[in-house]
Amino acid sequence: MVDVAGAVEAVALIAATGGASGLGEDAVRGVVARIRERVRGVFGGDVRSVDALDGAVADPGDARRLRELAAALAWYAERDEEFAVEVVGWAQQYGPAAGVVQNIHAGRDAYTAGRDMTVQQRPETDPASE
């Protein structure tokens, strides 16, 4: 049996966000559409799993929805070796390359969270005028 633990999380993220690494924008849309179509086909008439896919696509920022989709993918991958191989292949080919490290050095307020960053500029104060 293929180890799919990490792969299902990567594929859930790809399917939910519509993002895949290493491809141009048009290619990403095609790949993501094929992955979603294949996953929907594997889920078949399983309303709960289809709802997990639809919910994650509708709100990819919701960690609970991503976990539900990953759990559904894992459940089917454990029972279908061919699907498990596909999931691992998608994760290896299109998943995020590696973690991103942000080192921030700012002379102003900088708030970071995940992939979002907000920088608020404060008016410069002249130490001599204080």
Side-chain angles (χ1 to χ4, degrees):
M1 186 69 184
V2 177
D3 180 28
V4 296
V8 294
E9 292 177 15
V11 172
L13 193 60
I14 293 167
T17 63
S21 66
L23 299 173
E25 205 171 310
D26 290 336
V28 167
R29 280 194 291 268
V31 165
V32 171
R34 285 191 301 278
I35 289 173
R36 288 176 180 167
E37 183 179 316
R38 174 66 172 131
V39 167
R40 192 174 301 279
V42 168
F43 288 173
D46 180 357
V47 176
R48 184 175 178 184
S49 294
V50 171
D51 285 349
L53 174 61
D54 292 340
V57 170
D59 189 3
D62 185 337
R64 180 187 55 82
R65 290 178 186 240
L66 286 174
R67 283 191 306 271
E68 287 174 359
L69 177 55
L73 289 167
W75 192 89
Y76 280 94
E78 288 173 9
R79 287 150 182 79
D80 182 343
E81 179 80 20
E82 182 181 324
F83 182 62
V85 170
E86 285 180 272
V87 167
V88 169
W90 294 330
Q92 289 173 344
Q93 192 167 4
Y94 307 117
V100 175
V101 176
Q102 291 183 5
N103 294 311
I104 299 181
H105 177 76
R108 56 188 59 101
D109 294 337
Y111 303 96
T112 62
R115 64 181 180 264
D116 301 325
M117 179 172 28
T118 303
V119 176
Q120 298 176 342
Q121 293 186 359
R122 292 182 280 176
E124 294 292 326
T125 56
D126 182 8
S129 66
E130 293 180 6

PDB file of all heavy atoms in Angstrom, residues 32-47 49-51 53-54 69 72-73 75-76 80 82-83 86 90:
ATOM      1  N   VAL A  32      -6.135  21.319 -12.156  1.00  0.00           N
ATOM      2  CA  VAL A  32      -7.039  21.350 -11.005  1.00  0.00           C
ATOM      3  C   VAL A  32      -8.421  20.840 -11.404  1.00  0.00           C
ATOM      4  O   VAL A  32      -9.046  20.066 -10.669  1.00  0.00           O
ATOM      5  CB  VAL A  32      -7.108  22.764 -10.387  1.00  0.00           C
ATOM      6  CG1 VAL A  32      -8.206  22.855  -9.342  1.00  0.00           C
ATOM      7  CG2 VAL A  32      -5.760  23.129  -9.782  1.00  0.00           C
ATOM      8  N   ALA A  33      -8.897  21.217 -12.573  1.00  0.00           N
ATOM      9  CA  ALA A  33     -10.205  20.740 -13.047  1.00  0.00           C
ATOM     10  C   ALA A  33     -10.202  19.220 -13.190  1.00  0.00           C
ATOM     11  O   ALA A  33     -11.164  18.549 -12.794  1.00  0.00           O
ATOM     12  CB  ALA A  33     -10.570  21.408 -14.370  1.00  0.00           C
ATOM     13  N   ARG A  34      -9.108  18.660 -13.738  1.00  0.00           N
ATOM     14  CA  ARG A  34      -9.026  17.196 -13.890  1.00  0.00           C
ATOM     15  C   ARG A  34      -8.957  16.502 -12.529  1.00  0.00           C
ATOM     16  O   ARG A  34      -9.582  15.451 -12.330  1.00  0.00           O
ATOM     17  CB  ARG A  34      -7.827  16.821 -14.754  1.00  0.00           C
ATOM     18  CG  ARG A  34      -8.058  17.090 -16.235  1.00  0.00           C
ATOM     19  CD  ARG A  34      -6.985  16.485 -17.129  1.00  0.00           C
ATOM     20  NE  ARG A  34      -5.634  16.953 -16.856  1.00  0.00           N
ATOM     21  CZ  ARG A  34      -5.120  18.092 -17.300  1.00  0.00           C
ATOM     22  NH1 ARG A  34      -5.843  18.897 -18.041  1.00  0.00           N
ATOM     23  NH2 ARG A  34      -3.875  18.422 -17.015  1.00  0.00           N
ATOM     24  N   ILE A  35      -8.203  17.081 -11.591  1.00  0.00           N
ATOM     25  CA  ILE A  35      -8.118  16.485 -10.249  1.00  0.00           C
ATOM     26  C   ILE A  35      -9.490  16.505  -9.588  1.00  0.00           C
ATOM     27  O   ILE A  35      -9.940  15.492  -9.043  1.00  0.00           O
ATOM     28  CB  ILE A  35      -7.069  17.214  -9.380  1.00  0.00           C
ATOM     29  CG1 ILE A  35      -5.658  16.889  -9.900  1.00  0.00           C
ATOM     30  CG2 ILE A  35      -7.212  16.849  -7.907  1.00  0.00           C
ATOM     31  CD1 ILE A  35      -4.544  17.686  -9.239  1.00  0.00           C
ATOM     32  N   ARG A  36     -10.167  17.650  -9.635  1.00  0.00           N
ATOM     33  CA  ARG A  36     -11.501  17.747  -9.025  1.00  0.00           C
ATOM     34  C   ARG A  36     -12.475  16.766  -9.669  1.00  0.00           C
ATOM     35  O   ARG A  36     -13.258  16.120  -8.975  1.00  0.00           O
ATOM     36  CB  ARG A  36     -12.036  19.171  -9.144  1.00  0.00           C
ATOM     37  CG  ARG A  36     -11.347  20.158  -8.231  1.00  0.00           C
ATOM     38  CD  ARG A  36     -11.847  21.564  -8.475  1.00  0.00           C
ATOM     39  NE  ARG A  36     -11.197  22.528  -7.599  1.00  0.00           N
ATOM     40  CZ  ARG A  36     -11.274  23.840  -7.776  1.00  0.00           C
ATOM     41  NH1 ARG A  36     -11.981  24.348  -8.783  1.00  0.00           N
ATOM     42  NH2 ARG A  36     -10.645  24.648  -6.937  1.00  0.00           N
ATOM     43  N   GLU A  37     -12.417  16.655 -10.991  1.00  0.00           N
ATOM     44  CA  GLU A  37     -13.317  15.737 -11.704  1.00  0.00           C
ATOM     45  C   GLU A  37     -13.050  14.288 -11.301  1.00  0.00           C
ATOM     46  O   GLU A  37     -13.973  13.516 -11.046  1.00  0.00           O
ATOM     47  CB  GLU A  37     -13.119  15.920 -13.208  1.00  0.00           C
ATOM     48  CG  GLU A  37     -14.033  15.077 -14.064  1.00  0.00           C
ATOM     49  CD  GLU A  37     -13.791  15.327 -15.546  1.00  0.00           C
ATOM     50  OE1 GLU A  37     -13.664  16.510 -15.936  1.00  0.00           O
ATOM     51  OE2 GLU A  37     -13.714  14.336 -16.294  1.00  0.00           O
ATOM     52  N   ARG A  38     -11.775  13.915 -11.218  1.00  0.00           N
ATOM     53  CA  ARG A  38     -11.409  12.544 -10.833  1.00  0.00           C
ATOM     54  C   ARG A  38     -11.840  12.251  -9.394  1.00  0.00           C
ATOM     55  O   ARG A  38     -12.392  11.199  -9.097  1.00  0.00           O
ATOM     56  CB  ARG A  38      -9.899  12.347 -10.994  1.00  0.00           C
ATOM     57  CG  ARG A  38      -9.386  11.020 -10.484  1.00  0.00           C
ATOM     58  CD  ARG A  38      -9.911   9.848 -11.278  1.00  0.00           C
ATOM     59  NE  ARG A  38      -9.220   8.642 -10.833  1.00  0.00           N
ATOM     60  CZ  ARG A  38      -9.831   7.519 -10.506  1.00  0.00           C
ATOM     61  NH1 ARG A  38     -11.135   7.410 -10.616  1.00  0.00           N
ATOM     62  NH2 ARG A  38      -9.133   6.488 -10.089  1.00  0.00           N
ATOM     63  N   VAL A  39     -11.586  13.218  -8.492  1.00  0.00           N
ATOM     64  CA  VAL A  39     -11.965  13.036  -7.092  1.00  0.00           C
ATOM     65  C   VAL A  39     -13.486  12.897  -6.984  1.00  0.00           C
ATOM     66  O   VAL A  39     -13.994  12.009  -6.303  1.00  0.00           O
ATOM     67  CB  VAL A  39     -11.447  14.214  -6.228  1.00  0.00           C
ATOM     68  CG1 VAL A  39     -12.082  14.214  -4.844  1.00  0.00           C
ATOM     69  CG2 VAL A  39      -9.924  14.151  -6.123  1.00  0.00           C
ATOM     70  N   ARG A  40     -14.210  13.752  -7.687  1.00  0.00           N
ATOM     71  CA  ARG A  40     -15.674  13.681  -7.667  1.00  0.00           C
ATOM     72  C   ARG A  40     -16.145  12.322  -8.193  1.00  0.00           C
ATOM     73  O   ARG A  40     -17.073  11.726  -7.662  1.00  0.00           O
ATOM     74  CB  ARG A  40     -16.256  14.819  -8.510  1.00  0.00           C
ATOM     75  CG  ARG A  40     -17.736  15.023  -8.329  1.00  0.00           C
ATOM     76  CD  ARG A  40     -18.223  16.251  -9.084  1.00  0.00           C
ATOM     77  NE  ARG A  40     -17.572  17.488  -8.685  1.00  0.00           N
ATOM     78  CZ  ARG A  40     -17.903  18.202  -7.616  1.00  0.00           C
ATOM     79  NH1 ARG A  40     -18.873  17.785  -6.827  1.00  0.00           N
ATOM     80  NH2 ARG A  40     -17.270  19.321  -7.332  1.00  0.00           N
ATOM     81  N   GLY A  41     -15.466  11.806  -9.227  1.00  0.00           N
ATOM     82  CA  GLY A  41     -15.809  10.487  -9.764  1.00  0.00           C
ATOM     83  C   GLY A  41     -15.552   9.371  -8.767  1.00  0.00           C
ATOM     84  O   GLY A  41     -16.342   8.432  -8.644  1.00  0.00           O
ATOM     85  N   VAL A  42     -14.446   9.458  -8.045  1.00  0.00           N
ATOM     86  CA  VAL A  42     -14.127   8.449  -7.035  1.00  0.00           C
ATOM     87  C   VAL A  42     -15.135   8.515  -5.892  1.00  0.00           C
ATOM     88  O   VAL A  42     -15.589   7.496  -5.388  1.00  0.00           O
ATOM     89  CB  VAL A  42     -12.676   8.629  -6.510  1.00  0.00           C
ATOM     90  CG1 VAL A  42     -12.421   7.793  -5.272  1.00  0.00           C
ATOM     91  CG2 VAL A  42     -11.682   8.271  -7.599  1.00  0.00           C
ATOM     92  N   PHE A  43     -15.504   9.739  -5.493  1.00  0.00           N
ATOM     93  CA  PHE A  43     -16.477   9.893  -4.409  1.00  0.00           C
ATOM     94  C   PHE A  43     -17.853   9.393  -4.830  1.00  0.00           C
ATOM     95  O   PHE A  43     -18.633   8.949  -3.991  1.00  0.00           O
ATOM     96  CB  PHE A  43     -16.576  11.356  -3.972  1.00  0.00           C
ATOM     97  CG  PHE A  43     -15.383  11.876  -3.212  1.00  0.00           C
ATOM     98  CD1 PHE A  43     -15.296  13.220  -2.902  1.00  0.00           C
ATOM     99  CD2 PHE A  43     -14.345  11.055  -2.810  1.00  0.00           C
ATOM    100  CE1 PHE A  43     -14.218  13.732  -2.193  1.00  0.00           C
ATOM    101  CE2 PHE A  43     -13.253  11.550  -2.111  1.00  0.00           C
ATOM    102  CZ  PHE A  43     -13.187  12.895  -1.803  1.00  0.00           C
ATOM    103  N   GLY A  44     -18.148   9.448  -6.122  1.00  0.00           N
ATOM    104  CA  GLY A  44     -19.406   8.927  -6.647  1.00  0.00           C
ATOM    105  C   GLY A  44     -20.619   9.492  -5.946  1.00  0.00           C
ATOM    106  O   GLY A  44     -20.789  10.697  -5.826  1.00  0.00           O
ATOM    107  N   GLY A  45     -21.474   8.601  -5.438  1.00  0.00           N
ATOM    108  CA  GLY A  45     -22.715   9.001  -4.775  1.00  0.00           C
ATOM    109  C   GLY A  45     -22.560   9.271  -3.288  1.00  0.00           C
ATOM    110  O   GLY A  45     -23.551   9.425  -2.582  1.00  0.00           O
ATOM    111  N   ASP A  46     -21.331   9.323  -2.802  1.00  0.00           N
ATOM    112  CA  ASP A  46     -21.084   9.602  -1.382  1.00  0.00           C
ATOM    113  C   ASP A  46     -21.282  11.093  -1.134  1.00  0.00           C
ATOM    114  O   ASP A  46     -20.371  11.900  -1.310  1.00  0.00           O
ATOM    115  CB  ASP A  46     -19.667   9.161  -1.017  1.00  0.00           C
ATOM    116  CG  ASP A  46     -19.315   9.418   0.441  1.00  0.00           C
ATOM    117  OD1 ASP A  46     -20.133   9.990   1.182  1.00  0.00           O
ATOM    118  OD2 ASP A  46     -18.191   9.036   0.831  1.00  0.00           O
ATOM    119  N   VAL A  47     -22.487  11.449  -0.715  1.00  0.00           N
ATOM    120  CA  VAL A  47     -22.864  12.855  -0.545  1.00  0.00           C
ATOM    121  C   VAL A  47     -21.947  13.568   0.436  1.00  0.00           C
ATOM    122  O   VAL A  47     -21.543  14.714   0.204  1.00  0.00           O
ATOM    123  CB  VAL A  47     -24.343  12.970  -0.103  1.00  0.00           C
ATOM    124  CG1 VAL A  47     -24.726  14.406   0.185  1.00  0.00           C
ATOM    125  CG2 VAL A  47     -25.250  12.371  -1.158  1.00  0.00           C
ATOM    126  N   SER A  49     -18.771  13.034   1.180  1.00  0.00           N
ATOM    127  CA  SER A  49     -17.456  13.311   0.602  1.00  0.00           C
ATOM    128  C   SER A  49     -17.544  14.376  -0.489  1.00  0.00           C
ATOM    129  O   SER A  49     -16.673  15.251  -0.581  1.00  0.00           O
ATOM    130  CB  SER A  49     -16.843  12.029   0.048  1.00  0.00           C
ATOM    131  OG  SER A  49     -16.573  11.129   1.110  1.00  0.00           O
ATOM    132  N   VAL A  50     -18.588  14.316  -1.307  1.00  0.00           N
ATOM    133  CA  VAL A  50     -18.786  15.344  -2.332  1.00  0.00           C
ATOM    134  C   VAL A  50     -18.996  16.699  -1.665  1.00  0.00           C
ATOM    135  O   VAL A  50     -18.464  17.718  -2.119  1.00  0.00           O
ATOM    136  CB  VAL A  50     -19.959  14.984  -3.270  1.00  0.00           C
ATOM    137  CG1 VAL A  50     -20.299  16.137  -4.192  1.00  0.00           C
ATOM    138  CG2 VAL A  50     -19.626  13.734  -4.086  1.00  0.00           C
ATOM    139  N   ASP A  51     -19.753  16.729  -0.574  1.00  0.00           N
ATOM    140  CA  ASP A  51     -19.945  17.975   0.180  1.00  0.00           C
ATOM    141  C   ASP A  51     -18.623  18.491   0.741  1.00  0.00           C
ATOM    142  O   ASP A  51     -18.395  19.703   0.791  1.00  0.00           O
ATOM    143  CB  ASP A  51     -20.952  17.781   1.318  1.00  0.00           C
ATOM    144  CG  ASP A  51     -22.392  17.710   0.835  1.00  0.00           C
ATOM    145  OD1 ASP A  51     -22.639  18.011  -0.359  1.00  0.00           O
ATOM    146  OD2 ASP A  51     -23.262  17.341   1.649  1.00  0.00           O
ATOM    147  N   LEU A  53     -15.667  18.091  -0.642  1.00  0.00           N
ATOM    148  CA  LEU A  53     -14.974  18.689  -1.782  1.00  0.00           C
ATOM    149  C   LEU A  53     -15.569  20.058  -2.110  1.00  0.00           C
ATOM    150  O   LEU A  53     -14.847  21.052  -2.227  1.00  0.00           O
ATOM    151  CB  LEU A  53     -15.055  17.771  -3.003  1.00  0.00           C
ATOM    152  CG  LEU A  53     -14.493  18.330  -4.316  1.00  0.00           C
ATOM    153  CD1 LEU A  53     -13.005  18.643  -4.190  1.00  0.00           C
ATOM    154  CD2 LEU A  53     -14.749  17.352  -5.453  1.00  0.00           C
ATOM    155  N   ASP A  54     -16.894  20.111  -2.238  1.00  0.00           N
ATOM    156  CA  ASP A  54     -17.559  21.374  -2.579  1.00  0.00           C
ATOM    157  C   ASP A  54     -17.336  22.444  -1.510  1.00  0.00           C
ATOM    158  O   ASP A  54     -17.115  23.615  -1.830  1.00  0.00           O
ATOM    159  CB  ASP A  54     -19.056  21.150  -2.795  1.00  0.00           C
ATOM    160  CG  ASP A  54     -19.344  20.332  -4.046  1.00  0.00           C
ATOM    161  OD1 ASP A  54     -18.460  20.257  -4.931  1.00  0.00           O
ATOM    162  OD2 ASP A  54     -20.452  19.760  -4.132  1.00  0.00           O
ATOM    163  N   LEU A  69     -11.957  17.313   3.647  1.00  0.00           N
ATOM    164  CA  LEU A  69     -11.617  16.830   2.312  1.00  0.00           C
ATOM    165  C   LEU A  69     -10.437  15.875   2.367  1.00  0.00           C
ATOM    166  O   LEU A  69     -10.461  14.810   1.732  1.00  0.00           O
ATOM    167  CB  LEU A  69     -11.324  18.000   1.368  1.00  0.00           C
ATOM    168  CG  LEU A  69     -10.885  17.622  -0.046  1.00  0.00           C
ATOM    169  CD1 LEU A  69     -11.900  16.696  -0.722  1.00  0.00           C
ATOM    170  CD2 LEU A  69     -10.647  18.873  -0.874  1.00  0.00           C
ATOM    171  N   ALA A  72     -11.613  12.529   3.606  1.00  0.00           N
ATOM    172  CA  ALA A  72     -12.351  11.789   2.571  1.00  0.00           C
ATOM    173  C   ALA A  72     -11.388  11.211   1.542  1.00  0.00           C
ATOM    174  O   ALA A  72     -11.523  10.047   1.138  1.00  0.00           O
ATOM    175  CB  ALA A  72     -13.376  12.706   1.900  1.00  0.00           C
ATOM    176  N   LEU A  73     -10.416  12.005   1.124  1.00  0.00           N
ATOM    177  CA  LEU A  73      -9.407  11.503   0.180  1.00  0.00           C
ATOM    178  C   LEU A  73      -8.650  10.314   0.767  1.00  0.00           C
ATOM    179  O   LEU A  73      -8.424   9.311   0.087  1.00  0.00           O
ATOM    180  CB  LEU A  73      -8.422  12.622  -0.180  1.00  0.00           C
ATOM    181  CG  LEU A  73      -8.957  13.752  -1.055  1.00  0.00           C
ATOM    182  CD1 LEU A  73      -7.974  14.920  -1.058  1.00  0.00           C
ATOM    183  CD2 LEU A  73      -9.219  13.268  -2.469  1.00  0.00           C
ATOM    184  N   TRP A  75      -9.671   8.217   3.089  1.00  0.00           N
ATOM    185  CA  TRP A  75     -10.564   7.058   3.212  1.00  0.00           C
ATOM    186  C   TRP A  75     -10.636   6.300   1.889  1.00  0.00           C
ATOM    187  O   TRP A  75     -10.516   5.082   1.862  1.00  0.00           O
ATOM    188  CB  TRP A  75     -11.957   7.523   3.657  1.00  0.00           C
ATOM    189  CG  TRP A  75     -12.840   6.400   4.089  1.00  0.00           C
ATOM    190  CD1 TRP A  75     -12.941   5.885   5.342  1.00  0.00           C
ATOM    191  CD2 TRP A  75     -13.740   5.642   3.268  1.00  0.00           C
ATOM    192  NE1 TRP A  75     -13.850   4.850   5.354  1.00  0.00           N
ATOM    193  CE2 TRP A  75     -14.358   4.682   4.085  1.00  0.00           C
ATOM    194  CE3 TRP A  75     -14.078   5.675   1.927  1.00  0.00           C
ATOM    195  CZ2 TRP A  75     -15.293   3.774   3.607  1.00  0.00           C
ATOM    196  CZ3 TRP A  75     -15.009   4.771   1.444  1.00  0.00           C
ATOM    197  CH2 TRP A  75     -15.605   3.835   2.284  1.00  0.00           C
ATOM    198  N   TYR A  76     -10.810   7.031   0.798  1.00  0.00           N
ATOM    199  CA  TYR A  76     -10.897   6.370  -0.510  1.00  0.00           C
ATOM    200  C   TYR A  76      -9.548   5.829  -0.966  1.00  0.00           C
ATOM    201  O   TYR A  76      -9.485   4.760  -1.581  1.00  0.00           O
ATOM    202  CB  TYR A  76     -11.481   7.331  -1.556  1.00  0.00           C
ATOM    203  CG  TYR A  76     -12.983   7.397  -1.453  1.00  0.00           C
ATOM    204  CD1 TYR A  76     -13.602   8.373  -0.687  1.00  0.00           C
ATOM    205  CD2 TYR A  76     -13.787   6.454  -2.080  1.00  0.00           C
ATOM    206  CE1 TYR A  76     -14.979   8.426  -0.563  1.00  0.00           C
ATOM    207  CE2 TYR A  76     -15.166   6.497  -1.968  1.00  0.00           C
ATOM    208  CZ  TYR A  76     -15.757   7.480  -1.202  1.00  0.00           C
ATOM    209  OH  TYR A  76     -17.122   7.513  -1.078  1.00  0.00           O
ATOM    210  N   ASP A  80      -8.569   2.022  -2.339  1.00  0.00           N
ATOM    211  CA  ASP A  80      -8.362   1.937  -3.781  1.00  0.00           C
ATOM    212  C   ASP A  80      -6.895   2.254  -4.083  1.00  0.00           C
ATOM    213  O   ASP A  80      -6.495   3.414  -4.104  1.00  0.00           O
ATOM    214  CB  ASP A  80      -9.305   2.925  -4.478  1.00  0.00           C
ATOM    215  CG  ASP A  80      -9.221   2.889  -5.995  1.00  0.00           C
ATOM    216  OD1 ASP A  80      -8.233   2.352  -6.544  1.00  0.00           O
ATOM    217  OD2 ASP A  80     -10.144   3.429  -6.641  1.00  0.00           O
ATOM    218  N   GLU A  82      -5.158   2.122  -6.796  1.00  0.00           N
ATOM    219  CA  GLU A  82      -4.949   2.944  -7.994  1.00  0.00           C
ATOM    220  C   GLU A  82      -5.158   4.432  -7.681  1.00  0.00           C
ATOM    221  O   GLU A  82      -4.371   5.281  -8.094  1.00  0.00           O
ATOM    222  CB  GLU A  82      -5.906   2.506  -9.105  1.00  0.00           C
ATOM    223  CG  GLU A  82      -5.728   3.266 -10.403  1.00  0.00           C
ATOM    224  CD  GLU A  82      -6.713   2.822 -11.471  1.00  0.00           C
ATOM    225  OE1 GLU A  82      -7.033   1.617 -11.530  1.00  0.00           O
ATOM    226  OE2 GLU A  82      -7.164   3.697 -12.237  1.00  0.00           O
ATOM    227  N   PHE A  83      -6.212   4.732  -6.934  1.00  0.00           N
ATOM    228  CA  PHE A  83      -6.478   6.111  -6.551  1.00  0.00           C
ATOM    229  C   PHE A  83      -5.373   6.625  -5.629  1.00  0.00           C
ATOM    230  O   PHE A  83      -4.930   7.771  -5.753  1.00  0.00           O
ATOM    231  CB  PHE A  83      -7.848   6.233  -5.885  1.00  0.00           C
ATOM    232  CG  PHE A  83      -8.216   7.640  -5.500  1.00  0.00           C
ATOM    233  CD1 PHE A  83      -8.343   8.631  -6.466  1.00  0.00           C
ATOM    234  CD2 PHE A  83      -8.435   7.982  -4.178  1.00  0.00           C
ATOM    235  CE1 PHE A  83      -8.675   9.932  -6.115  1.00  0.00           C
ATOM    236  CE2 PHE A  83      -8.767   9.284  -3.816  1.00  0.00           C
ATOM    237  CZ  PHE A  83      -8.890  10.259  -4.789  1.00  0.00           C
ATOM    238  N   GLU A  86      -2.510   7.687  -7.655  1.00  0.00           N
ATOM    239  CA  GLU A  86      -2.806   8.970  -8.304  1.00  0.00           C
ATOM    240  C   GLU A  86      -2.626  10.134  -7.326  1.00  0.00           C
ATOM    241  O   GLU A  86      -2.031  11.167  -7.669  1.00  0.00           O
ATOM    242  CB  GLU A  86      -4.240   8.992  -8.826  1.00  0.00           C
ATOM    243  CG  GLU A  86      -4.466   8.176 -10.072  1.00  0.00           C
ATOM    244  CD  GLU A  86      -5.907   8.257 -10.517  1.00  0.00           C
ATOM    245  OE1 GLU A  86      -6.723   7.436 -10.045  1.00  0.00           O
ATOM    246  OE2 GLU A  86      -6.222   9.156 -11.327  1.00  0.00           O
ATOM    247  N   TRP A  90      -0.086  13.218  -7.769  1.00  0.00           N
ATOM    248  CA  TRP A  90      -0.509  14.622  -7.823  1.00  0.00           C
ATOM    249  C   TRP A  90       0.259  15.452  -6.807  1.00  0.00           C
ATOM    250  O   TRP A  90       0.699  16.551  -7.105  1.00  0.00           O
ATOM    251  CB  TRP A  90      -1.995  14.765  -7.553  1.00  0.00           C
ATOM    252  CG  TRP A  90      -2.903  14.172  -8.587  1.00  0.00           C
ATOM    253  CD1 TRP A  90      -2.660  14.030  -9.925  1.00  0.00           C
ATOM    254  CD2 TRP A  90      -4.210  13.649  -8.365  1.00  0.00           C
ATOM    255  NE1 TRP A  90      -3.743  13.452 -10.537  1.00  0.00           N
ATOM    256  CE2 TRP A  90      -4.701  13.199  -9.612  1.00  0.00           C
ATOM    257  CE3 TRP A  90      -5.009  13.502  -7.236  1.00  0.00           C
ATOM    258  CZ2 TRP A  90      -5.966  12.638  -9.757  1.00  0.00           C
ATOM    259  CZ3 TRP A  90      -6.269  12.937  -7.389  1.00  0.00           C
ATOM    260  CH2 TRP A  90      -6.734  12.508  -8.627  1.00  0.00           C
TER     261      TRP A  90
END
